Amino acid sequence: MPLNLSFLPFLNRVEKSVLDAVEHEVEWFCLPAGQLLFREGDDADAIYLVRSGALAAFRSGALGRPDLIGYIRTGEPVGEMSMLDETPHSASVYALRDSELVRLPKASFERLTNKHASLMRELSRMMLARLRGPRRASGSEPKVFALISTSPTIDLDYRSKEIASTLAGMGVNCGIADESCSDWSGQKLDAFEAGHDIVLLTARFSDPAWARRAMGRADRMWLFARADARPSTPLLPDDPSPAMKLKLLDVVLLHPGGVTAASRPQDWANAAEASRVFHWRQDHHVADTARLARTLSGRSVGMVVSGGGARAYAHMGAIRALREAGMPFDFVGGASMGAIIAAGIALDWSDDELEQRIRKAFVDSNPLDDWTLPVVSLAKGEKVDARLKEHFGEVEIAEMVRPFFCLSSNLASGRPQVHRTGLLRHALRASIAIPGLLPPVVVNGQILVDGAVFTNFPAREMRAFHRGPVVGVDVTRAQGLNPSDFEDPPGFIEWVRKNGLKSPPPIASLLMRAATIGVADHRDVGREAADLLILPETSVDIRSWDRFEEVRDAGYDAAQGMLAGIDDAMRVRLGLKAAPQKGG
């Protein structure tokens, strides 16, 4: 019996005879929630069309777990590009909820397109529209969120209404469905979801039937927990929802005023196997609510900064200019020296505090002058360790106000190592371990060195971390050495007599440059992942730690210039006010 394919928008313009022919060739089947449709690397032997339900596509991830590429919803095809291009599937696709699909085998497709040119024409139009459209189409974004309470003392009604009110102020239509909607039919919930930009399904574990249904319909889950409580064991139901199974789950940790934390944020993240931890603080209620609302609506701003030794001072100037313009930073990440700057933002340091701490750690005295007879490095690294402990103490990454990551380079695996958990100063120490200059960091038998060796500007990793725009500051330069330092160089004794022991010799720059030379091949890939890219101009050597103001100001000027040139559409995406009109 032929199937009615009129639900597919791209087939609306073909002749009825063509539609009838397609309906006779397709195969209908059900894909239960959580089941795999096809795996990344599999041969593409058919086009699939979603009749009902929702799918999610994942690709091998830059953050150590699969990256969520997007969602495929009712009326959309999947697998068509790989089949037409005769290449293996570029992503793995799973059913996010119970779904009905139709399958058009490759042989049938080729037979139909050879006979009916209009079918290929309409499919080509649809694919071109995707390629020319925004980087992420609205339908590919998460829309339905399950907000699950882990404690009866958490007022989910209040929390969800606060988020919905903030979203409304952003022009986003948000609907809330709680346990009173538990008897709604699937069709009624479908209609409710279709009528809103964002849907919040609020549930409590004390009502397991509705909680399971909410989790089963969710594109993503947010688990609400109290900082003054401990996670139970087990924390989640035995029959996990697809969102849980596919790790599309975050923890929102509530911090009531005047209470003492009973557990580490990482304890909650481990218990839930969560991707991210958000903090909702009573004494920063408005700012944290706004950050959560931006994240839900795909408008969060990710800030990523590159390594570059002393040139990374430019990041602080750029950050000051962006903050003065009103840009929020919701997610932050970096590599090498940029990781230290990014950590300050994630800890909610003000511009003044960030500059004061960086001055104390790197400008007032050189942390890399504890020279030693080299066995694994020129410097002992003890002064660097002491300064990281002084400024970051025992803070864990999961405790940071803003979600944070940094990169080191794993010499054992030959891949970037993404740090999203554990003690912050340990992650930073690995990220700045310049080969030959500082001792490497050894963790579980893995040798970790400076993040810039493999990825100096981790904008691609930031894009995998959140769904909104990415803003980057990159001080990478193709030329990082002063040729005169290497033309007829003096001997060691003569160099020390002239420059002293506190100034690093040219071999330090040579090692830093040699360690990161391969970055040039990957730089454009990272830069393409940024929606707004700031490139400060400075010729300062990467070991000139004393030229703080000059480099910082170059970053400020570069950011100011970039802000002046962006259009109103980009300003809205970045949470900025429209630019003032010129003239009267």
Side-chain angles (χ1 to χ4, degrees), residues 179-249:
E179 59 270 12
S180 66
C181 306
S182 60
D183 60 349
W184 283 12
S185 66
Q187 290 78 7
K188 188 170 182 178
L189 281 171
D190 287 342
F192 184 75
E193 293 172 9
H196 296 87
D197 300 320
I198 297 289
V199 171
L200 307 179
L201 305 177
T202 62
R204 298 162 178 82
F205 284 144
S206 56
D207 185 352
W210 171 244
R212 282 189 172 87
R213 192 175 184 199
M215 291 188 291
R217 292 190 67 91
D219 295 331
R220 195 168 191 104
M221 290 172 50
W222 279 14
L223 200 67
F224 280 66
R226 292 178 60 106
D228 57 346
R230 296 179 182 276
S232 59
T233 304
L235 178 61
L236 299 170
D238 290 336
D239 53 341
S241 69
M244 194 187 308
K245 180 180 178 181
L246 299 172
K247 311 300 184 190
L248 303 177
L249 187 153

Side-chain angles (χ1 to χ4, degrees), residues 302-306 331-334 405 457-459 462 470-474 530:
M303 182 68 183
V304 61
V305 287
S306 73
F331 296 80
V332 282
F405 74 88
F457 183 58
M462 177 58 76
V470 173
V471 176
V473 186
D474 188 4

Side-chain angles (χ1 to χ4, degrees), residues 164-489:
S165 175
T166 303
L167 286 169
M170 298 163 54
V172 178
N173 179 16
C174 176
I176 302 172
D178 57 19
E179 59 270 12
S180 66
C181 306
S182 60
D183 60 349
W184 283 12
S185 66
Q187 290 78 7
K188 188 170 182 178
L189 281 171
D190 287 342
F192 184 75
E193 293 172 9
H196 296 87
D197 300 320
I198 297 289
V199 171
L200 307 179
L201 305 177
T202 62
R204 298 162 178 82
F205 284 144
S206 56
D207 185 352
W210 171 244
R212 282 189 172 87
R213 192 175 184 199
M215 291 188 291
R217 292 190 67 91
D219 295 331
R220 195 168 191 104
M221 290 172 50
W222 279 14
L223 200 67
F224 280 66
R226 292 178 60 106
D228 57 346
R230 296 179 182 276
S232 59
T233 304
L235 178 61
L236 299 170
D238 290 336
D239 53 341
S241 69
M244 194 187 308
K245 180 180 178 181
L246 299 172
K247 311 300 184 190
L248 303 177
L249 187 153
D250 304 309
V251 167
V252 179
L253 201 57
L254 308 178
H255 297 266
V259 301
T260 302
S263 60
R264 302 156 50 239
Q266 191 60 49
D267 292 337
W268 285 100
N270 292 342
E273 297 186 64
S275 298
R276 305 173 298 192
V277 177
F278 299 105
H279 297 274
W280 201 344
R281 302 162 295 171
Q282 183 171 313
D283 54 350
H284 294 79
H285 181 81
V286 174
D288 290 349
T289 307
R291 181 172 300 115
L292 292 171
R294 287 192 295 269
T295 301
L296 280 169
S297 60
R299 301 186 186 182
S300 54
V301 177
M303 182 68 183
V304 61
V305 287
S306 73
R311 287 200 298 261
Y313 294 155
H315 299 324
M316 288 180 286
I319 289 163
R320 181 181 288 273
L322 296 174
R323 280 174 161 169
E324 288 177 355
M327 184 182 295
F329 301 137
D330 301 306
F331 296 80
V332 282
S336 193
M337 187 63 185
I340 293 178
I341 307 296
I345 305 173
L347 288 169
D348 216 17
W349 291 349
S350 67
D351 293 323
D352 290 341
E353 181 178 4
L354 181 61
E355 289 193 10
Q356 180 270 326
R357 288 180 179 272
I358 294 299
R359 278 180 176 276
K360 185 177 181 182
F362 294 94
V363 182
D364 294 346
S365 62
N366 188 349
L368 298 175
D369 62 4
D370 53 346
W371 307 112
T372 183
L373 290 176
V375 175
V376 295
S377 63
L378 289 171
K380 297 177 183 177
E382 294 172 356
K383 293 182 71 172
V384 170
D385 292 342
R387 294 183 191 192
L388 289 175
K389 186 171 184 178
E390 175 187 357
H391 293 283
F392 299 105
E394 303 304 309
V395 172
E396 292 190 335
I397 291 175
E399 299 173 22
M400 303 173 83
V401 172
R402 294 169 175 84
F404 166 87
F405 74 88
C406 67
L407 294 188
S408 65
S409 299
N410 189 324
L411 296 185
S413 68
R415 298 171 62 103
Q417 181 87 11
V418 182
H419 299 268
R420 295 175 62 185
T421 62
L423 206 60
L424 173 61
R425 60 184 172 90
H426 288 172
L428 296 177
R429 176 62 177 80
S431 191
I432 62 172
I434 304 162
L437 187 57
L438 281 173
V441 173
V442 180
V443 179
N444 297 325
Q446 305 296 299
I447 301 174
L448 307 180
V449 298
D450 195 295
V453 172
F454 293 151
T455 305
N456 197 36
F457 183 58
R460 189 173 70 93
E461 287 77 7
M462 177 58 76
R463 186 157 295 285
F465 201 25
H466 82 131
R467 308 296 293 176
V470 173
V471 176
V473 186
D474 188 4
V475 294
T476 306
R477 287 287 180 271
Q479 177 63 23
L481 301 174
N482 183 355
S484 64
D485 287 339
F486 304 95
E487 295 174 346
D488 192 23

